[in-house]
Amino acid sequence: DLFVRTSSDDPTAMAGVLRAAARGVEKNAPIYGVAPLEQQLGTYLAQRRFQTSLLTGFSIVALLMAAVGIYGLIQYCIATRTQEIGLRMAVGAQSSDIFRMIIGEGLTICLTGLALGLAGAWWLGRAGSALLFGVTASDPLTFTAVSLLLTVVALAACYFPARRAMTVDPLAALRVS
């Protein structure tokens, strides 16, 4: 490999001169792949960019699946506890109390899953540390950012079922058996 630095605006214009100089030193030297460094790096990094894009896409799908799963779980819990929520409201619980209760339960589930996930990620990160570039297997910034993102997604997934639980009519909920 030979890299040549030039101040020319068109570095490929130097290719003929460089070929002639190389042939002057070694007549049978194979000369191929003459291109600017940016183009060479772009070709080299194309596969990595594709892999990163694919990983990003799968990560987004996984995040959406987690949000839908949490939403479904909280919604199911509320549906099975409609009578309990109605009874709480009948004996004096305010809508804000119900909202806080549902969000609190959702956050408890989220934080439990987050703690287990962080432990698993730390443990598995050690095994895959050879594949990492620019970060360590236990990068605190990455763990913090992902934890905050997942917590925000979990809160958003709990918000709508909690709002729905606030509107439960105590009389209608107690009539259903």
Side-chain angles (χ1 to χ4, degrees):
D1 289 337
L2 175 66
F3 294 97
V4 177
R5 183 176 180 181
T6 179
S7 60
S8 172
D9 289 337
D10 184 18
T12 55
M14 301 277 304
V17 175
L18 292 173
R19 279 193 179 100
R23 299 248 190 256
V25 174
E26 177 60 47
K27 181 179 171 184
N28 297 323
I31 301 172
Y32 59 91
V34 177
L37 184 61
E38 292 83 17
Q39 182 180 346
Q40 292 284 345
L41 285 175
T43 303
Y44 174 74
L45 295 176
Q47 184 178 6
R48 293 284 184 181
R49 285 189 184 117
F50 174 73
Q51 291 171 347
T52 302
S53 298
L54 200 58
L55 183 63
T56 301
F58 285 139
S59 299
I60 290 170
V61 168
L63 189 62
L64 290 174
M65 287 175 61
V68 169
I70 292 170
Y71 173 83
L73 177 67
I74 297 297
Q75 186 61 35
Y76 176 76
C77 288
I78 290 170
T80 59
R81 295 172 56 194
T82 303
Q83 286 183 324
E84 175 196 338
I85 292 169
L87 183 61
R88 286 177 184 264
M89 293 181 87
V91 296
Q94 301 297 316
S95 295
S96 60
D97 298 329
I98 300 298
F99 182 80
R100 276 193 304 271
M101 178 184 75
I102 301 298
I103 293 291
E105 290 173 1
L107 274 179
T108 300
I109 293 169
C110 168
L111 294 178
T112 302
L114 197 60
L116 293 172
L118 284 173
W122 182 80
W123 183 67
L124 287 173
R126 295 289 176 204
S129 63
L131 301 173
L132 300 175
F133 178 74
V135 293
T136 62
S138 59
D139 183 44
L141 180 62
T142 302
F143 279 164
T144 302
V146 170
S147 298
L148 288 174
L149 177 66
L150 290 174
T151 303
V152 167
V153 167
L155 277 173
C158 293
Y159 176 78
F160 296 106
R163 294 285 300 184
R164 191 170 296 127
M166 289 172 45
T167 62
V168 168
D169 180 25
L171 293 176
L174 292 175
R175 276 191 218 130
V176 177
S177 44

